[in-house]
Amino acid sequence: MRSPDTAPLRIDYGPEVEEVLADLERRLADHPNASALPAPARWLAVELLVGDPDVIARIDDPVLVTDAREAAEALEQRTGLDPEALVADRRYEWIHGIAEGAVTRTAPEGPTWSDRIDAVLTHRIWGIPIFFAVMWVVFKVVTDVSAPFVDWVDSTVAGPITGWFAAIVATLGLDGTWVEALVLDGIVAGVGAVLVFVPILVFLYVLLSILEDSGYMARAAFVMDRVMLALGLHGRSFLPLLVGFGCNIPAVYATRVLEHRRDRVLTGLLVPFVSCAARLPVFVLLAAIFFEQHQGNVVFAMYVASVVFVLAIGFALSRTVFRGSERAPFVMELPPYRWPTLRSTATVTGQRVVAFLRKAGTIILAASIIVWLLLAVPARGDGAFNDTPIEDSVFATVSEGIAPVFAPAGFDSWELSGALITGFVAKEVVVSTLGQVYGLEGDEGDDAGGQSVLADIGDIGEGFATAAKDAALAVPRMLGVDFAETDAPDSALAGAIRADFESTSGGHGALAALAFMLFVLLYVPCMATIGAQRHEMGARWTWFSVVLNTGVALLVATLVFQVGRALGLG
């Protein structure tokens, strides 16, 4: 408790701010309910000036609140800075003064090494190109170095694991029944097609964790803030959007840190345009099939496109639907640079991978079973349950009804359209659906049935060692030094997907695949994200988001394909 002879803490906010505060403080002291106010008059005056919504609601005096807002606007016009920034600046000056008086410096005065690094990384001109260069390196490493491990997981799932499940089903006397088809074609093929991409996510999460722990991600937010403000967006919105690169769901909930509802709604509408990690397997799959020599650059281009569309859509919305909304100042303290620790990186990566595997064990598993069931039930023809041509199934029939919508974009087959439908559940399900609808029965477990479990485990270990060696050789390959052959064998799934795109696009398969990737990037987010939007923004804005995303996705995919075809690309 403060003793009676101790003066209260008082920070000098400068003559212009103090003049306004003195008037507000006097009026608060003379307020009819002054005795019931929740805090000292000076503190309330400061919070009124910066527009604290909780204090405004507590005081409940429309005239005083209006006068405070007008005073803040006049102060901003005179100084060129928002009152919140002015207050924060003087508080940091006060803290700096206290620290200077209490700390004895043994090192010579001058810029620290951290200041010198910040002068480059947060430079007004070079900061943004450096940010994109860093992200290019991240996605180049993710796609190139993880590729051997992806092949290893693929061969492990398609070989030993499928063989083990087939043996278990046979032991139970259920081979040749619909149970075998459910287990092998539904569960193993569906979930396995997604688990193949776990190495990619591991590398992505490791690198992002290193950037976060090192302190660079905070600098990236600082650099991109200036861009967003210049385009009419709100500076603080970049932090939730940055979270969206991992997952859109927490990004929507992260909009709660924004002060004004218009800011929260606008940012919530932009979050689905951020390329979450769930879309990455789709990009990697199609880039490896159609752009094998440049797949890292193509995947990186999808993330650049995501940033571009966030800025473009935000620019358009802030000048139409949200015209006249207030801009919230972006005040943040840059953390010190530090070396990332192995424990921290491993913990964060492990938590994110476990969350993905939990999704694979629930949402993706359920979606795979539903897709298998719809593929097994006949909708036409003379087939029976689990004994009907895929093209006569319920899934194919429903997908065929929607497929013509995608004809202008170059991918109107029922297989591709159906994968987009199931992508509404979770974007990873797009890959698992493709693995199911192209029917790769003959490609599963062919070499696993004739040897023991111990032999299978030995093959898995040998395959991992080979993948680790190839991953190490991929690092110098990124620098133009190639120590090994890089030609990868073509899989049945890749061949089927390539043939389908070539057929639906009239020979412009790569162009149609690019349009498909852009559609996946931009169209309606997963079901869980929509639920988060409805919780945070309400039903009306959620439906607006669904229509906006789907409309933009179809328009962009169609323009890319039609313009590219007219130019003779693809």
Side-chain angles (χ1 to χ4, degrees):
M1 178 179 294
R2 178 172 58 88
S3 60
D5 58 343
T6 302
L9 174 63
R10 187 181 184 93
I11 298 175
D12 184 0
Y13 293 109
E16 293 180 312
V17 176
E18 287 293 341
E19 181 181 353
V20 177
L21 290 179
D23 179 63
L24 293 176
E25 188 176 354
R26 177 186 55 79
R27 294 178 63 179
L28 284 166
D30 296 337
H31 197 277
N33 298 324
S35 59
L37 293 178
R42 179 172 174 81
W43 184 87
L44 293 173
V46 174
E47 297 306 303
L48 269 179
L49 184 62
V50 300
D52 187 319
D54 292 332
V55 171
I56 291 174
R58 287 284 194 93
I59 292 178
D60 192 23
D61 187 333
V63 175
L64 183 57
V65 169
T66 301
D67 291 346
R69 184 173 63 251
E70 292 177 352
E73 293 172 353
L75 189 62
E76 184 173 2
Q77 290 178 355
R78 291 198 306 271
T79 63
L81 291 175
D82 184 279
E84 187 172 355
L86 289 170
V87 168
D89 186 55
R90 296 301 291 235
R91 285 175 175 172
Y92 275 107
E93 283 185 12
W94 181 83
I95 293 171
H96 180 72
I98 295 295
E100 285 293 318
V103 175
T104 301
R105 297 184 182 275
T106 58
E109 294 291 338
T112 64
W113 66 270
S114 178
D115 294 333
R116 295 188 182 97
I117 296 176
D118 282 341
V120 177
L121 297 184
T122 62
H123 192 273
R124 295 180 60 87
I125 298 176
W126 302 114
I128 295 175
I130 290 174
F131 169 69
F132 281 106
V134 169
M135 298 312 295
W136 177 83
V137 171
V138 167
F139 291 110
K140 186 69 174 174
V141 171
V142 166
T143 53
D144 289 9
V145 179
S146 67
F149 292 104
V150 171
D151 294 337
W152 169 69
V153 176
D154 186 24
S155 61
T156 300
V157 171
I161 291 180
T162 300
W164 296 342
F165 276 95
I168 293 173
V169 172
T171 302
L172 296 175
L174 298 174
D175 51 323
T177 66
W178 65 268
V179 175
E180 181 184 44
L182 169 62
V183 172
L184 299 184
D185 301 335
I187 297 174
V188 176
V191 177
V194 177
L195 293 181
V196 164
F197 295 95
V198 167
I200 295 173
L201 298 180
V202 170
F203 278 90
L204 176 64
Y205 292 148
V206 166
L207 293 177
L208 291 182
S209 175
I210 291 174
L211 291 178
E212 291 169 359
D213 287 350
S214 68
Y216 177 72
M217 277 304 190
R219 273 77 183 175
F222 176 79
V223 169
M224 293 302 295
D225 168 63
R226 291 197 295 267
V227 176
M228 299 183 74
L229 287 175
L231 293 176
L233 298 176
H234 302 275
R236 288 179 176 173
S237 298
F238 185 74
L239 294 177
L241 295 175
L242 194 62
V243 173
F245 282 106
C247 180
N248 286 173
I249 301 168
V252 172
Y253 286 116
T255 60
R256 294 179 180 180
V257 304
L258 304 177
E259 181 178 350
H260 302 290
R261 172 167 171 76
R262 286 189 174 185
D263 297 356
R264 295 193 294 270
V265 172
L266 175 57
T267 307
L269 293 174
L270 296 179
V271 164
F273 291 100
V274 177
S275 184
C276 64
R279 295 174 171 97
L280 184 58
V282 183
F283 300 155
V284 172
L285 175 65
L286 295 181
I289 295 173
F290 291 96
F291 310 98
E292 183 178 351
Q293 301 303 318
H294 306 283
Q295 65 181 83
N297 294 332
V298 171
V299 172
F300 174 68
M302 289 296 105
Y303 281 82
V304 172
S306 173
V307 174
V308 170
F309 279 106
V310 166
L311 297 177
I313 299 298
F315 182 88
L317 291 178
S318 64
R319 282 158 176 75
T320 53
V321 179
F322 295 91
R323 184 174 60 251
S325 61
E326 299 180 13
R327 297 183 183 182
F330 184 52
V331 179
M332 67 177 298
E333 182 177 2
L334 297 179
Y337 289 104
R338 55 181 178 267
W339 289 105
T341 64
L342 179 62
R343 179 178 181 180
S344 174
T345 301
T347 300
V348 172
T349 302
Q351 290 173 344
R352 292 172 175 174
V353 172
V354 168
F356 175 81
L357 293 176
R358 188 179 295 116
K359 183 186 290 187
T362 54
I363 297 176
I364 298 173
L365 174 62
S368 299
I369 293 175
I370 292 172
V371 170
W372 172 85
L373 180 62
L374 295 177
L375 288 169
V377 175
R380 57 197 175 196
D382 300 326
F385 178 72
N386 195 40
D387 186 22
T388 184
I390 291 180
E391 59 270 17
D392 292 337
S393 66
V394 171
F395 186 86
T397 303
V398 173
S399 300
E400 283 179 0
I402 299 175
V405 175
F406 303 111
F411 48 87
D412 59 335
S413 71
W414 70 264
E415 293 93 341
L416 298 173
S417 303
L420 293 175
I421 296 173
T422 59
F424 171 70
V425 178
K427 292 298 176 284
E428 306 97 321
V429 180
V430 172
V431 175
S432 65
T433 302
L434 292 175
Q436 291 178 270
V437 299
Y438 285 112
L440 307 178
E441 295 88 346
D443 195 42
E444 299 167 345
D446 294 338
D447 301 327
Q451 60 183 22
S452 66
V453 174
L454 290 178
D456 287 339
I457 294 175
D459 289 343
I460 293 174
E462 182 180 349
F464 180 83
T466 302
K469 181 190 70 175
D470 292 341
L473 293 175
V475 176
R477 189 181 302 136
M478 290 188 298
L479 302 175
V481 181
D482 196 353
F483 294 112
E485 295 292 330
T486 59
D487 293 335
D490 193 14
S491 69
L493 176 60
I497 292 175
R498 181 184 292 109
D500 202 356
F501 272 106
E502 292 290 346
S503 174
T504 58
S505 64
H508 299 272
L511 187 60
L514 181 62
F516 187 91
M517 286 190 282
L518 286 170
F519 189 88
V520 171
L521 170 67
L522 300 172
Y523 88 118
V524 60
C526 67
M527 186 166 51
T529 300
I530 291 178
Q533 284 183 307
R534 190 181 187 284
H535 185 263
E536 293 297 308
M537 303 189 306
R540 183 170 63 93
W541 286 114
T542 301
W543 280 111
F544 179 83
S545 176
V546 169
V547 173
L548 176 66
N549 276 92
T550 305
V552 169
L554 190 58
L555 176 63
V556 170
T558 301
L559 285 175
V560 167
F561 179 73
Q562 294 296 338
V563 173
R565 186 173 63 172
L567 296 175
L569 303 178

